[in-house]
Amino acid sequence: MSATAVQVEKRVYRFDELTADPVRRVLLRDGKAVQVTPKAFTILLVLLERHGQVVGKDELIRQVWAGSHVSEANLTQNVSSLRKALGERAGDGRYVVTVPGQGYCFAAPVELVEEEPFPSAARPEVIPQPLPPSAGIEPAVAASAASAAIPGLRIGMGLLVLALVLALSWSLPWLTRDPLAPSRNLERVAPPRRPSVAVLGFRDLSRGADTRWIGTALAEMLTTELDAGDDVRMISRKEIDRARQFVDIEESGGLAGDSLSRIRSIVGADRVVVGTYLSLPGENGRRIRVDLRVLRASDGDVVASLAETGAESELFDLVTRAGARLRQTLGYDAPTPERTRSARALQPADPEALRLYSLGLDRLRSYDGPRALDVLQQAAQADPRSPVIRSALSRALEMLGQDVRAREEAQKAVELASGAPREERLGMEARLQALNQQWVRASEIYRSLWTFYPDDLEYGLQLATALVRAGRGSEAMETVVALHGLPEPVREDPRIDLLEAEIAGRLADRATEMRAATVAVAKGQRSGEHLLVARALLSQGNSLRARGEIEPAIAAFREALRLAEADGHPFVLGMTLANLGAALQARGDLAEAEKAHRDALAIAERLGSSVGMAAQLQLLGRLHLQRGEL
């Protein structure tokens, strides 16, 4: 057969405008040959065969360099070459995603099709190299990181963004600004729309101080249980906490007034789970009856309701039964046994540890660092091998400014999370890197999380925050542009505008800071998110103060202070007082400025935040210096 003769039919891989032919070992873009090295092409074939899964570095080396001893640097160099051939920009993650500490994953949708072959004369000039026998045919390892469950318990991320904002705002006058580089568009394919469910919470009909923790435990466990699959997106507990500031659960376990429409506008949930629980006496200890309902967010119709009763000591089994019944009623696929085991691995094994852990989460969400630390230390003693307890304990220590101990507990959480689902493991690893000030590494993990879970806004927000902390302000702004390009209603989330304003402030882009903050204020006022409005007013005030408009800045800070005081949020209240004090100091009103700084210092002392106390003492020191009180 001549060199230009047409060959028999073959199967090829298609993704976007690219086609990879594993038989003739050629890569085409819109029918035109793309130059690619033989090793890089072999790596591509291995990743394509297992697209959507993580292929470990050792496995790639074994398949691509069969029988040869090469270093990981060879693999990294060839992956870089492959990315260039595919047209990826640095850090895009459009096709080949780096999963830190594990390997690589081909993230784009791939189609395997039968196609008429092209003449061999169209092939680029590459040196033929046979595909190693094992490449492209190994079945996915069941325990691989990418094929693990996609759970929902996202408590490891809860306070990270707010803590970063606190650090930025309390030390605002002395931040180093990096210049705003020309922005490039960060293109992302719109993710497929999964139905979203928010487990809003449960009303305690027992009204006992010793049963209050059960509501937190039920919400956490049911979220995890329903999230053990790919067919539904569970709204994170952090987003639920944000929404619950503006809604109230009635005694019947329903929603009061216009609460449902508010929930839908704030967190974008399609369905909402609410309910009640009652503690009942039993021969072998207390029993818990749970009644829950699933409401359609668009019109409030009840789409499912059920009741379950079980021993308090076997709360997880009760939630597992309720979750299985809910999944069946709502038409969601049942999780595999492996995913069920992964979900259970996220919960403390000891009943007393579960109680203490739930109490600790309540304290954390109330920003009561000292009490959270005390309760979570007891929980860790009851169940020393629980990764989620260690992660929560680390957050409590970080809140109190005990960074060394916070890093130690975060490291223990990562080490103990080997049996946890991929999402939770990566979240704990990202938080550890953030505590270690390894912001580049943290941003890589958040990028991986956002690639794997592109319909989860939280990961996009955390990616942008980590990037700006890493000094990569232009990339952070590119991520914000991508967030604005998400489908509705997610792209209308005012947190995107707020983050844009805060990043622009870091980059000294005052026009963008003011514009984005103004949009965030307007959106927050419409949704009733007064705390978010207060933070956006802080950005407005900082922009005005930087431009020398002191009086308008003071007015913005005073309005933010009014909202923060009404909400009672200590962190935002402390940030507002610190910024107001700086503006008053710039106006020359040193007596009033000192009062604001000392009020902020008192809040930091009440919270036990050494970072906040240090920042306020520094501000007070500069005020005394301005007075000449050496």
Side-chain angles (χ1 to χ4, degrees):
M1 186 175 288
S2 66
T4 59
V6 174
Q7 305 298 311
V8 296
E9 289 187 355
K10 61 185 182 300
R11 296 202 303 172
V12 298
Y13 296 99
R14 281 185 182 170
F15 47 99
D16 294 340
E17 71 279 6
L18 293 159
T19 302
D21 181 350
V23 176
R24 289 168 181 79
R25 300 183 58 74
V26 63
L27 179 65
L28 299 176
R29 176 178 282 107
D30 293 328
K32 297 181 180 180
V34 177
Q35 295 291 340
V36 59
T37 65
K39 295 293 187 186
F41 189 80
T42 303
I43 292 171
L44 174 62
L45 291 181
V46 176
L47 295 177
L48 285 172
E49 181 66 24
R50 293 173 56 177
H51 66 276
Q53 303 176 13
V54 177
V55 182
K57 294 180 181 179
D58 291 342
E59 183 179 350
L60 275 171
I61 291 173
R62 185 172 64 252
Q63 294 200 36
V64 178
W65 287 272
S68 301
H69 297 284
V70 298
S71 69
E72 189 176 308
N74 294 78
L75 175 62
T76 302
Q77 181 179 359
N78 279 276
V79 169
S80 176
S81 175
L82 172 60
R83 284 175 165 144
K84 290 179 181 178
L86 295 176
E88 272 193 336
R89 295 192 298 264
D92 254 4
R94 184 180 180 187
Y95 297 118
V96 181
V97 176
T98 302
V99 182
Q102 298 182 45
Y104 299 94
C105 171
F106 196 91
V110 177
E111 185 181 9
L112 186 60
V113 297
E114 299 285 347
E115 184 177 82
E116 286 294 329
F118 50 84
S120 59
R123 288 155 49 186
E125 296 179 4
V126 296
I127 302 173
Q129 175 175 312
L131 192 66
S134 61
I137 60 173
E138 281 194 18
V141 178
S144 71
S147 60
I150 303 177
L153 188 61
R154 296 179 172 96
I155 56 96
M157 308 285 197
L159 301 175
L160 176 60
V161 174
L162 185 58
L164 297 180
V165 173
L166 172 65
L168 291 178
S169 300
W170 250 331
S171 57
L172 185 69
W174 300 280
L175 287 175
T176 301
R177 308 287 185 179
D178 56 334
L180 177 60
S183 180
R184 306 183 306 272
N185 288 329
L186 183 66
E187 298 178 359
R188 285 180 64 86
V189 178
R193 180 75 162 82
R194 293 185 294 168
S196 55
V197 177
V199 180
L200 190 58
F202 296 85
R203 175 77 71 179
D204 181 9
L205 300 182
S206 309
R207 293 183 174 86
D210 60 340
T211 57
R212 194 173 304 158
W213 66 272
I214 296 175
T216 300
L218 288 172
E220 295 286 349
M221 290 191 291
L222 187 59
T223 298
T224 303
E225 178 68 28
L226 292 177
D227 204 21
D230 299 332
D231 46 3
V232 62
R233 180 175 76 87
M234 298 303 298
I235 305 297
S236 73
R237 295 309 307 169
K238 180 181 179 180
E239 292 180 83
I240 297 300
D241 292 339
R242 171 173 159 247
R244 286 206 59 172
Q245 300 174 65
F246 319 107
V247 300
D248 183 38
I249 301 179
E250 295 176 335
E251 291 298 316
S252 62
L255 291 174
D258 63 348
S259 296
L260 195 60
S261 60
R262 278 196 166 190
I263 286 290
R264 191 182 183 198
S265 66
I266 293 172
V267 301
D270 299 312
R271 290 170 173 173
V272 173
V273 180
V274 292
T276 61
Y277 65 95
L278 179 64
S279 177
L280 304 169
E283 293 182 2
N284 299 315
R286 287 192 308 197
R287 297 178 62 78
I288 303 297
R289 175 186 168 89
V290 178
D291 292 86
L292 59 83
R293 293 187 292 165
V294 182
L295 311 177
R296 191 162 49 227
S298 59
D299 54 20
D301 284 354
V302 178
V303 296
S305 61
L306 60 87
E308 282 285 348
T309 302
E312 180 183 306
S313 60
E314 298 175 352
L315 204 57
F316 196 95
D317 292 330
L318 184 154
V319 173
T320 299
R321 294 195 303 272
R325 290 177 60 188
L326 269 186
R327 279 184 161 277
Q328 184 178 14
T329 303
L330 298 174
Y332 302 147
D333 293 336
T336 64
E338 180 185 0
R339 293 192 174 194
T340 299
R341 286 193 297 270
S342 295
R344 186 169 289 239
L346 287 175
Q347 300 299 330
D350 181 83
E352 176 62 7
L354 175 61
R355 184 185 72 84
L356 293 166
Y357 169 63
S358 300
L359 288 172
L361 291 183
D362 282 337
R363 300 300 187 195
L364 280 177
R365 287 164 183 161
S366 300
Y367 300 96
D368 186 350
R371 291 187 181 182
L373 178 61
D374 179 57
V375 174
L376 289 169
Q377 284 177 329
Q378 296 178 52
Q381 291 175 354
D383 187 355
R385 298 202 54 79
S386 169
V388 293
I389 291 178
R390 294 291 180 182
S391 181
L393 181 55
S394 173
R395 289 192 287 134
L397 290 164
E398 182 188 13
M399 183 183 294
L400 298 175
Q402 301 183 35
D403 292 344
V404 174
R405 290 185 61 197
R407 286 194 291 270
E408 291 174 352
E409 293 298 335
Q411 181 67 53
K412 291 177 184 177
V414 170
E415 293 169 355
L416 292 169
S418 59
R422 171 183 62 187
E423 185 176 8
E424 193 68 23
R425 289 200 309 271
L426 289 177
M428 291 181 184
E429 173 66 24
R431 188 172 174 282
L432 174 62
Q433 297 302 330
L435 284 170
N436 288 327
Q437 303 292 304
Q438 299 297 317
W439 292 109
V440 173
R441 178 75 166 159
S443 66
E444 290 174 352
I445 301 174
Y446 286 134
R447 192 183 298 279
S448 296
L449 282 164
W450 198 31
T451 300
F452 285 128
Y453 312 106
D455 54 0
D456 194 321
L457 174 63
E458 190 67 33
Y459 292 137
L461 295 172
Q462 288 166 336
L463 169 60
T465 303
L467 284 170
V468 75
R469 295 288 287 178
R472 293 157 66 172
S474 59
E475 288 184 55
M477 274 300 190
E478 289 174 354
T479 304
V480 169
V481 171
L483 292 172
H484 281 307
L486 291 173
E488 291 186 344
V490 178
R491 68 184 180 197
E492 297 303 321
D493 194 306
R495 289 177 298 169
I496 301 174
D497 305 285
L498 176 61
L499 181 59
E500 182 179 11
E502 290 168 349
I503 293 172
R506 285 292 304 271
L507 301 176
D509 181 358
R510 300 305 174 191
T512 300
E513 181 181 27
M514 178 60 76
R515 176 192 56 77
T518 301
V519 173
V521 167
K523 289 182 178 179
Q525 288 174 336
R526 285 197 299 270
S527 63
E529 297 179 75
H530 304 306
L531 197 60
L532 184 142
V533 172
R535 289 176 56 191
L537 286 169
L538 287 182
S539 289
Q540 280 189 343
N542 287 326
S543 179
L544 291 165
R545 181 159 60 91
R547 296 191 310 210
E549 301 179 40
I550 303 301
E551 292 305 323
I554 290 174
F557 291 143
R558 289 197 186 281
E559 176 60 15
L561 182 63
R562 184 186 68 80
L563 294 172
E565 286 176 335
D567 187 85
H569 194 293
F571 268 167
V572 178
L573 186 57
M575 287 190 290
T576 305
L577 287 166
N579 283 274
L580 175 60
L584 291 168
Q585 193 170 341
R587 189 174 70 178
D589 191 345
L590 301 189
E592 197 171 350
E594 181 176 1
K595 180 180 184 306
H597 288 320
R598 292 202 178 278
D599 287 345
L601 176 61
I603 291 173
E605 290 172 339
R606 188 169 71 248
L607 291 172
S609 171
S610 60
V611 174
M613 287 186 280
Q616 289 310 123
L617 289 169
Q618 184 183 38
L619 286 166
L620 284 166
R622 287 177 176 268
L623 186 145
H624 287 301
L625 181 63
Q626 187 174 344
R627 282 175 171 163
E629 299 169 350
L630 302 184

